[in-house]
Amino acid sequence: MSTRFAQYLEHEKEVELADIAKRLTAPGKGILAADESVSTCGRRLQDINVENTEENRRRYRELLFSTDSELSENISGVILFDETAKQSDSSGASFIKLLEKKGIIPGIKVDKGIVPLAGTWNECTTTGLDGLKERCEEYKSLGIHFAKWRCVLKITKFTPSYQAMFENANVLARYASICQQAGLVPIVEPEVLPDGDHDLETSRRVTEEVLAFQYKALADHHVYLEGTLLKPNMVTPGQQYSGPTTSPEQCALATVQALNRTVPAAVAGVVFLSGGQSEESATINLNAINNVPLRRPWALTFSYGRALQASVLAAWQGKEENIKDAQRELIKRAKANGEASLGKYKGGVEGAARGKNLFVKDHAY
C-alpha cells in the first residue's frame, strides 16, 4: 500500500474490506443478484401472471431468502434493492437478518439507473452519486457489507466512444471510492452489452478497452483493489451474430485473455454477469472459463440474476403450494454454478425454465 493511499483509507478498513471480498468469492460460491428495481421485478412477475405489487415483490424475495440453509453452500452474498433491504419476512424478521443467519452476506444496488449521455450516439451513463455517501453509511448501519453499481456500454459501428468509456469508468471509480470510505466492498460493473451482430474478436477487443479505462480510473481515485470485485460481461459474440458457432471454450479463452491483459492481480475476484444467456449456457461458460489453461490469479465466479431465477419463477407461478419446488430450483442452479466456479460442472442440470432465452434487448433497470 502506498503512503499516498494511506491518507485516504485506514488500515483497519482495508482489512475489513479485503475480508468481505474474500468471503464473497470463497471457493465454490457466488452471488445471487436479487436487486431488480420495481419495474424490472414487475416484468418478471408479469411473465408468470402475478401482479406487480409491493406485497408480491416481498413474497417473491421471501421465497428466495428463506430457502433452506443448504443455499449458503454455494451462495456467499445477495444483492438487494433498496425496497427489499427494508422489508421483512412474514414472521417480521428483516431480510437482512434472515440472510445473516444463513451466513450469507447482504449487499445492495446503489445506482439510480441509466440515463442518456449527452453528445454521444445513443450511449448512456449511470446516475446516483448525489447523496451516495449518506446512503452507503445508512446501508452499512443496517448490516449491509457490499454494494453494486452498473454502467452499460454498447458495441456498434461507432461505439463505445472514448467519451462513454471515460465517463463510465470515472463514475464507477467515484462510486467505488465512496463505498470503501463507508466500509462497503464495491462491485464494479462496466457491462458491455451483448446486443449486436459483432463477432467474438470484436467483443474481446472492446471488453479489453473498457476494462483498461476502468482500472486507470480506479487507480486515479485511489481505490483499494483488494477490497473490490469486478462484475464484467463474458466475452461472447453479439446476440445477432450470424457467423460460425462459437464454442464455450472459445468464449472462455477470449474472456480470460481480456482479463489477463487489463485486470490487476490485486483485484479480489471476478463475479461474472450472465448477460441474458440461458441458465445452462451461463453455467457451462463459467465452467469453461475456470478450465482455460492461462494464468488466472483471481477467483472467477458468478453474480447472476436471471440465470439463477428463471427456473425459480417458472416453478413458483405466484402460488404458495409451489414455494418448496421453486426453492429446490434455486438450490439446484446455485449448486451447478458453484461447481462451475471450480471448473467441475458436468452439465445436464435442466431447470423449470427449460433453456429459455433470457436475453433482453438494451437491458436496463
Side-chain angles (χ1 to χ4, degrees):
M1 181 188 70
S2 70
T3 304
R4 180 177 65 173
F5 188 76
Q7 300 170 24
Y8 296 92
L9 203 65
E10 303 87 352
H11 176 68
E12 293 76 11
K13 196 163 281 182
E14 285 185 353
V15 172
E16 179 191 11
L17 291 168
D19 177 66
I20 295 166
K22 185 177 180 180
R23 286 190 286 136
L24 285 168
T25 54
K29 294 188 178 186
I31 295 169
L32 167 62
D35 57 333
E36 299 89 355
S37 66
V38 171
S39 59
T40 300
C41 190
R43 289 195 290 274
R44 305 276 189 272
L45 295 177
Q46 185 179 26
D47 287 344
I48 57 170
N49 298 313
V50 173
E51 187 181 359
N52 183 21
T53 64
E54 181 178 352
E55 174 57 17
N56 283 337
R57 293 191 297 274
R58 190 204 64 78
R59 287 174 58 227
Y60 175 58
R61 264 58 183 264
E62 180 174 355
L63 179 161
L64 296 173
F65 308 153
S66 63
T67 299
D68 188 83
S69 57
E70 183 183 350
L71 183 65
S72 63
E73 294 176 12
N74 301 110
I75 297 296
S76 57
V78 173
I79 309 172
L80 306 171
F81 184 62
D82 180 78
E83 174 186 75
T84 318
K86 295 165 184 175
Q87 288 177 327
S88 301
D89 67 12
S90 51
S91 71
S94 75
F95 284 150
I96 290 172
K97 296 297 182 187
L98 189 61
L99 292 169
E100 285 178 339
K101 275 190 175 180
K102 297 178 187 295
I104 295 174
I105 303 171
I108 188 75
K109 178 177 103 78
V110 294
D111 70 69
K112 295 288 189 178
I114 291 163
V115 295
L117 180 58
T120 65
W121 184 264
N122 196 33
E123 293 182 280
C124 53
T125 186
T126 307
T127 60
L129 290 174
D130 288 350
L132 180 59
K133 176 180 179 290
E134 292 74 20
R135 284 185 284 129
C136 285
E137 290 171 348
E138 178 192 6
Y139 290 136
K140 185 69 175 180
S141 72
L142 292 174
I144 286 170
H145 299 292
F146 70 102
K148 193 203 82 163
W149 181 295
R150 175 180 182 251
C151 284
V152 168
L153 297 112
K154 304 173 182 181
I155 298 180
T156 69
K157 184 178 180 180
F158 303 108
T159 66
S161 65
Y162 179 97
Q163 181 184 354
M165 289 189 287
F166 181 85
E167 161 69 14
N168 283 291
N170 278 280
V171 164
L172 279 163
R174 290 174 65 194
Y175 137 81
S177 179
I178 292 167
C179 279
Q180 289 192 333
Q181 293 291 339
L184 299 180
V185 167
I187 295 180
V188 176
E189 183 178 355
E191 179 181 1
V192 179
L193 289 175
D195 307 58
D197 59 2
H198 52 274
D199 59 13
L200 184 68
E201 175 62 21
T202 300
S203 179
R204 183 193 56 74
R205 175 181 58 78
V206 172
T207 298
E208 285 180 18
E209 273 192 285
V210 167
L211 292 176
F213 270 85
Q214 189 58 69
Y215 281 95
K216 172 63 165 63
L218 290 168
D220 289 344
H221 285 76
H222 312 295
V223 172
Y224 176 57
L225 295 183
E226 289 87 342
T228 66
L229 299 177
L230 172 67
K231 183 170 179 174
N233 52 283
M234 295 179 186
V235 176
T236 61
Q239 283 284 333
Q240 290 77 46
Y241 175 66
S242 58
T245 301
T246 308
S247 70
E249 289 73 24
Q250 289 172 301
C251 293
L253 178 62
T255 300
V256 177
Q257 283 176 333
L259 296 176
N260 263 324
R261 293 168 181 173
T262 55
V263 180
V267 173
V270 177
V271 291
F272 290 100
L273 56 90
S274 57
Q277 301 175 75
S278 71
E279 289 179 324
E280 183 69 351
S281 291
T283 307
I284 288 171
N285 284 337
L286 178 62
N287 190 73
I289 284 168
N290 278 288
N291 282 296
V292 169
L294 292 177
R295 172 178 168 275
R296 290 176 275 120
W298 335 263
L300 299 173
T301 186
F302 60 95
S303 176
Y304 291 167
R306 286 168 285 171
L308 278 171
Q309 296 182 52
S311 286
V312 177
L313 286 161
W316 180 47
Q317 296 294 315
K319 299 174 182 176
E320 292 295 314
E321 62 268 27
N322 292 340
I323 286 177
K324 289 298 181 186
D325 288 340
Q327 291 175 333
R328 279 191 286 269
E329 292 288 344
L330 178 57
I331 289 173
K332 182 166 63 175
R333 205 70 251 164
K335 186 173 188 294
N337 285 300
E339 291 172 353
S341 71
L342 300 172
K344 296 179 178 179
Y345 180 62
K346 303 302 182 186
V349 178
E350 187 177 85
R354 305 194 184 284
K356 179 182 177 183
N357 186 342
L358 305 176
F359 171 67
V360 177
K361 183 174 168 44
D362 291 326
H363 179 49
Y365 51 74

